[in-house]
Amino acid sequence: MDKAGGDQGGAEVKAGGQTLLSRLSASSVRPGWTKVSCPCCVSERVEPLVLVKLGEKVGPETKRWLIKLIGAPQTDGGAGLLAHPGEDASGDLIIVSAPRCTLLRATEELGLCKLYRSGDMEAFSYQDRNNFKDSDNMEEFLTLAERQFIVKYELDGLRAQRDLRIPGLLDIYTLQRRDNIWQKLQSAGVTLDTFPLHNTNKLKDLSEAWYSGNQLAQPLDSVNKYFGSPVAFYFSFLGFYTWSLLPPAILGVCITYFSGEVQKEVAESVSGSQVIGSEDDSAPAISGHMLQAVFSMLWSTIFMELWKRRSASLSYRWGTLHLTERFAEPRPGFHGNLGVNPVTGRVEPLFPDWQRELRMALVSLPVVGLFLGLVVLGMMGFYWAEALVQQLNEDWDNMLTQILLIVPSVLHILFTNMLATVYKTVAQSLTEYENHREESAFQNHLTAKVLVFTFINNFAVLFHIAFYKQDVPLLRKRLASLLIFTQIINQVTEVVIPFLVDRFISAPHRTQREDDPQQDKFRNQSSLPPFPGLFAEYIELLVQFGYLSLFSCVFPLTAVLLLLNNLTEIRSDAYKICKLFRKPFFPPVANMGVWQVAFEVLSFVSVVSNCWLLLLSPRLQQMGQENGMSSSNLLLSAVLVEHVLIIVKVIISIVIPDEPDWIRKKREHIEFSSMQALRQQKLQTEES
C-alpha cells in the first residue's frame, strides 16, 4: 500500500499508554485525519508535516470548517491535503499532511527534476509518474523540505470560488470570490502561525554530522533534504568561500612576514596610532601591496566562476535545474480590484502598473534617499569625532587618549549596524506598499533596496577616505577596525544573544519529557522564534567579499581575519538554524539568485578600487617622476592598466564556463524531454 510519508509518521511515540500511530496517523480513527478522495493515496500511516496554530477565540465550528477546507479536493475549492484536529478536537492546533497525488501534482507544477528509471534526472511528469524511481514512496521520492513546502504551497494557493461566510466569524470577514483564503484567515486572527514540524531524530543526526563533531566537510545533501535547497546553497557557498580564502590568506601572511614595513603598518592599524616615518610609509608598498591587489582582482573572478560551476552541479543533483517559470497565482500579500487577468483569463485581484510605479517614485525613493542621507550624516559624525580624538591625543598624549583613538570607529560601526536593522524593516514595509503581484518581483525589489543601502552604508566611508581624502593610513586603520569589531558584534548579536535568550528565558518554558504527548512537543516548537531568513547572512558575506576584493591591498591580513571568522561562522550558523529557531519554509531554488550577481558586480568594482589605491602610492608616483611622467600621464597609465585587467577578467570568465559540459548536456536533455512530454500531452488532449 502506498504511503503518504514516513519521516515522523512511522515513529510510534508513546503518549498516555496509546501510540501516536493510533492517535495522529490512523486515518480510520475518528476524530483523526481527513479522508482522501483518491484510492491510491489511502495509507496506514500519515506523516505530520505542518502545524497550524489557531487563535485563542477560534471556536469549534470555525475549526471544523477549516479542517474540512484543508481536506477537500482541489476540484471543490479545497487544498487537497490531510488535516488532523490534534489530541483535543476543540484545541488550537491543526496538524497538516499531504497525500501522494497532491505531492506528485505539485512536484510537476514546481518543475522539480527527479530520478528516472534510466538513472538520469528528468523533469517530473505526473502522467509518467510510474516511470520515476520511488514515486510510490513519498519519503524517498521527495525530501522532507519539499513535502513541507508543498503543504504551504497548497495552503497559500487557496482562493474562494464564491462569496462565502466563515462559520463562527463576523460578517466583515466574509470571503469574496477569488479572495486569498489563507491570508484572510491570518488577518482575521483565525490562524496565528503556520510552520513545518521538526523531525527530532533526523535533526539529531544532522546536528551530529554538521556541527557537533570535528568533521570539516558539511553534509550538504542532508541539509538539502531537511531544510531545503536555499539553506543548502547558502552553506555550500559559505564553505566554498571559506576554503577559497586560503590562497589570499597565505599570500597575506607571506607579505606581512617578509615585509617589516607591512608589519609596522598592521601594528599601527590595530593600535590606532598614526604612522610615523617617511612619506613612503603613508601608502602601500609597491612590492607586496601591488602583488596583493592584482591577486585579489584575479582571485575574485576565478572564485566566482568556479562557484557557478559548483552551483550548477548542485542544482542538478538536488533536482532544481529546471524549475518552471509559470503564470502562477498572485502572492498572498497582493491586493487590488477583482477582475479578469488578460494573460491567464483567471478572475483575480488586479493592480495597475502605473500606481505601483507612482508609489515607488513618490514614497519608496524619497524614503530610501532619507536613509542614505543618514548614512552620510553618520560619516560626517565619524570624521568629526576622528578629528576630535586626534587633537586630544596630540594635546595630552596618554594611555586614555590612545584608547579614545578607536572609539569613533567603534561608534560608527554600531551606528551603521543599527541603521541597517531599522532600514531592513522599512524596506520590507515599502516593498509591501508597492504591491507586487509575483513573489519573485517582491523579493527582487526588496533585495535591490537593501543592496543599495548596504553598499553605501558599509563602503561609503572607505571610498570617501580612499578617493577623496586619499588618506591610506586612515583607510588601513578603518578597515582593521571593521574587520575586527564587526565580526565580534556579528557573532554576539547572531549567536550569543539568541543562545542566552533561548537558554535562560525560553527553554525553561519548553521543558518536555520523552513520554509527553506528541501534541505538547509540537506546541513547544511553536514557542521558538521564527527563523529570520538568510538575508542577513548573505549581506554579511557580501560585505566581507567587498572588504577583501576592494581594499585588501592596504591591509594584507584581511583574508586571514575573514578565514578565522568564517571557520566559526559555519558551525555557529548551523547551530543557530538547528537549535534556536523554528524550522522555516523554503521554496526550491536553482542557485543563489540575485546575490550571485551582487558578488560579481563587486568583483568588477574591485579593479577600479585597487588600481586607484595603487596609484596613491608615493613610491609609484616617485617612479613616474623619475621616468619623466607627469601626474596626468600616470593617471592615464593607471586607467589603461585598469582596462587591461577588466579585459583579463572578462577573458577568464569566458574561458571558465558557468557550468560543466556534462551539466549543459543534461540541462538540454531535460528541456528536450519536457518539450516532448508537453507535445504528447497536447496530442492526447486533442484526441480525447
Side-chain angles (χ1 to χ4, degrees):
M1 184 174 291
D2 296 331
K3 297 177 182 179
D7 284 336
Q8 287 177 308
E12 298 189 8
V13 182
K14 297 291 182 180
Q18 190 178 13
T19 63
L20 174 65
L21 183 64
S22 62
R23 289 190 172 192
L24 293 184
S25 301
S27 58
S28 60
V29 177
R30 287 296 178 264
W33 293 100
T34 52
K35 293 182 179 180
V36 294
S37 57
C38 179
C40 71
C41 296
V42 177
S43 174
E44 294 179 354
R45 299 187 304 174
V46 180
E47 173 190 25
L49 292 174
V50 173
L51 186 71
V52 178
K53 189 174 182 180
L54 306 179
E56 295 180 358
K57 298 182 179 180
V58 175
E61 182 183 12
T62 306
K63 182 177 181 179
R64 286 193 297 269
W65 172 84
L66 182 55
I67 290 175
K68 183 178 179 181
L69 175 70
I70 294 173
Q74 294 178 351
T75 54
D76 297 335
L81 300 171
L82 300 172
H84 193 287
E87 301 288 340
D88 184 2
S90 60
D92 61 347
L93 300 181
I94 296 178
I95 302 159
V96 186
S97 186
R100 175 175 178 263
C101 286
T102 298
L103 292 172
L104 293 179
R105 288 193 177 95
T107 301
E108 181 179 27
E109 290 181 19
L110 294 172
L112 293 173
C113 295
K114 293 298 174 182
L115 200 62
Y116 203 64
R117 62 181 180 182
S118 62
D120 294 326
M121 297 292 284
E122 299 283 356
F124 179 74
S125 170
Y126 182 78
Q127 290 188 333
D128 195 26
R129 58 189 179 278
N130 293 328
N131 288 321
F132 283 84
K133 186 179 179 181
D134 295 322
S135 61
D136 58 343
N137 186 353
M138 291 299 97
E139 62 180 292
E140 295 293 336
F141 184 71
L142 293 170
T143 67
L144 177 61
E146 289 170 345
R147 299 195 296 275
Q148 290 174 326
F149 175 75
I150 287 174
V151 172
K152 180 181 183 297
Y153 174 80
E154 298 297 346
L155 292 176
D156 287 342
L158 281 172
R159 289 193 175 270
Q161 294 185 335
R162 65 182 188 281
D163 293 354
L164 182 65
R165 180 181 176 275
I166 302 177
L169 297 187
L170 299 176
D171 291 340
I172 59 173
Y173 297 113
T174 298
L175 292 167
Q176 306 296 323
R177 184 168 178 252
R178 296 300 297 170
D179 271 355
N180 186 286
I181 298 177
W182 210 248
Q183 185 188 17
K184 194 85 170 185
L185 294 174
Q186 289 175 337
S187 62
V190 175
T191 59
L192 300 181
D193 283 314
T194 304
F195 61 91
L197 291 167
H198 272 299
N199 182 311
T200 306
N201 294 330
K202 286 184 175 293
L203 182 61
K204 181 180 178 182
D205 293 340
L206 177 61
S207 300
E208 291 176 353
W210 199 0
Y211 64 84
S212 297
N214 298 320
Q215 64 279 350
L216 295 178
Q218 298 186 81
L220 294 176
D221 289 336
S222 299
V223 175
N224 173 65
K225 291 177 181 178
Y226 193 83
F227 286 108
S229 52
V231 177
F233 270 114
Y234 165 73
F235 279 98
S236 177
F237 179 77
L238 176 57
F240 186 79
Y241 168 62
T242 299
W243 294 115
S244 297
L245 289 172
L246 275 174
I250 293 173
L251 178 63
V253 170
C254 292
I255 291 175
T256 304
Y257 180 78
F258 291 107
S259 173
E261 189 174 23
V262 174
Q263 293 177 15
K264 178 183 176 183
E265 293 170 354
V266 170
E268 292 173 342
S269 300
V270 175
S271 66
S273 59
Q274 291 184 338
V275 176
I276 301 174
S278 64
E279 188 177 344
D280 291 347
D281 291 335
S282 64
I286 291 177
S287 55
H289 293 316
M290 187 172 185
L291 179 62
Q292 181 79 39
V294 175
F295 181 85
S296 295
M297 288 183 280
L298 298 180
W299 170 85
S300 61
T301 301
I302 296 174
F303 161 71
M304 287 307 302
E305 293 303 316
L306 293 180
W307 162 251
K308 286 189 283 188
R309 291 173 63 86
R310 175 174 172 79
S311 175
S313 300
L314 293 175
S315 180
Y316 175 79
R317 192 164 80 195
W318 295 336
T320 60
L321 190 64
H322 189 63
L323 295 178
T324 55
E325 293 289 341
R326 64 190 186 92
F327 296 101
E329 290 278 346
R331 67 183 188 88
F334 179 72
H335 56 84
N337 297 322
L338 206 62
V340 178
N341 188 312
V343 178
T344 63
R346 292 193 296 254
V347 177
E348 63 182 45
L350 301 179
F351 189 77
D353 291 339
W354 67 267
Q355 288 190 25
R356 181 180 301 110
E357 293 171 358
L358 192 64
R359 292 183 177 187
M360 294 169 63
L362 298 183
V363 180
S364 296
L365 285 178
V367 173
V368 173
L370 173 64
F371 273 85
L372 294 181
L374 292 176
V375 172
V376 175
L377 196 63
M379 182 174 64
M380 294 172 61
F382 163 71
Y383 288 137
W384 174 82
E386 184 78 17
L388 179 62
V389 296
Q390 289 284 0
Q391 186 62 44
L392 290 174
N393 186 51
E394 291 178 4
D395 294 342
W396 296 348
D397 193 17
N398 55 32
M399 182 65 68
L400 178 61
T401 57
Q402 289 287 333
I403 297 175
L404 286 176
L405 287 174
I406 66 172
V407 171
S409 293
V410 174
L411 291 178
H412 188 250
I413 291 171
L414 292 174
F415 172 77
T416 55
N417 285 348
M418 289 189 295
L419 192 63
T421 302
V422 174
Y423 178 79
K424 174 67 185 303
T425 304
V426 173
Q428 183 86 22
S429 301
L430 288 175
T431 313
E432 288 283 0
Y433 177 70
E434 291 167 5
N435 196 29
H436 297 279
R437 181 185 183 276
E438 294 84 13
E439 183 65 27
S440 59
F442 176 88
Q443 293 297 334
N444 287 338
H445 281 80
L446 175 61
T447 304
K449 290 184 183 70
V450 176
L451 282 179
V452 170
F453 175 81
T454 299
F455 186 85
I456 302 298
N457 193 35
N458 288 277
F459 301 124
V461 171
L462 297 177
F463 275 111
H464 187 267
I465 295 173
F467 287 82
Y468 181 75
K469 300 188 72 172
Q470 300 183 16
D471 189 344
V472 176
L474 179 59
L475 176 64
R476 189 180 298 116
K477 186 181 74 170
R478 174 64 178 172
L479 184 60
S481 300
L482 287 170
L483 289 170
I484 296 172
F485 293 109
T486 300
Q487 307 305 328
I488 295 174
I489 292 172
N490 287 338
Q491 291 289 346
V492 171
T493 56
E494 292 181 7
V495 179
V496 177
I497 293 178
F499 170 77
L500 294 176
V501 171
D502 178 75
R503 179 69 176 83
F504 296 104
I505 299 177
S506 302
H509 301 287
R510 292 199 308 269
T511 55
Q512 66 180 31
R513 296 171 299 182
E514 288 295 328
D515 58 348
D516 284 344
Q518 189 70 7
Q519 178 172 321
D520 291 345
K521 296 180 180 179
F522 291 161
R523 193 183 302 277
N524 282 338
Q525 293 187 33
S526 68
S527 65
L528 289 168
F531 183 67
L534 297 171
F535 215 97
E537 313 302 333
Y538 274 120
I539 287 291
E540 182 181 349
L541 291 183
L542 186 68
V543 172
Q544 279 190 15
F545 187 76
Y547 292 155
L548 178 61
S549 60
L550 299 175
F551 305 106
S552 64
C553 68
V554 300
F555 193 75
L557 293 181
T558 299
V560 177
L561 295 177
L562 295 181
L563 178 61
L564 294 175
N565 175 81
N566 287 1
L567 287 175
T568 61
E569 183 85 9
I570 294 175
R571 292 178 180 268
S572 63
D573 283 354
Y575 169 79
K576 182 170 61 176
I577 193 173
C578 288
K579 295 296 184 182
L580 301 184
F581 298 98
R582 292 182 208 159
K583 187 181 181 187
F585 285 112
F586 278 111
V589 296
N591 48 50
M592 293 189 340
V594 69
W595 295 106
Q596 188 166 293
V597 178
F599 278 91
E600 291 185 274
V601 170
L602 275 185
S603 175
F604 274 92
V605 176
S606 69
V607 177
V608 180
S609 176
N610 282 280
C611 286
W612 177 259
L613 291 174
L614 290 176
L615 184 63
L616 295 180
S617 169
R619 291 188 181 181
L620 184 61
Q621 295 178 2
Q622 182 180 357
M623 289 175 59
Q625 292 175 358
E626 292 175 354
N627 293 323
M629 297 179 64
S630 63
S631 298
S632 58
N633 289 335
L634 196 61
L635 178 61
L636 290 175
S637 300
V639 172
L640 178 62
V641 172
E642 169 200 320
H643 282 66
V644 170
L645 288 173
I646 289 178
I647 293 174
V648 171
K649 288 172 73 72
V650 172
I651 293 175
I652 292 176
S653 63
I654 294 174
V655 171
I656 305 177
D658 289 353
E659 57 185 17
D661 190 58
W662 69 273
I663 291 290
R664 179 186 59 80
K665 293 177 181 178
K666 293 287 187 182
R667 178 174 50 78
E668 292 175 352
H669 174 72
I670 290 173
E671 293 174 354
F672 175 77
S673 300
S674 299
M675 292 175 59
Q676 292 290 96
L678 181 61
R679 186 179 296 111
Q680 184 177 2
Q681 185 176 354
K682 287 183 177 179
L683 290 175
Q684 292 177 354
T685 303
E686 292 175 357
E687 291 176 358
S688 60

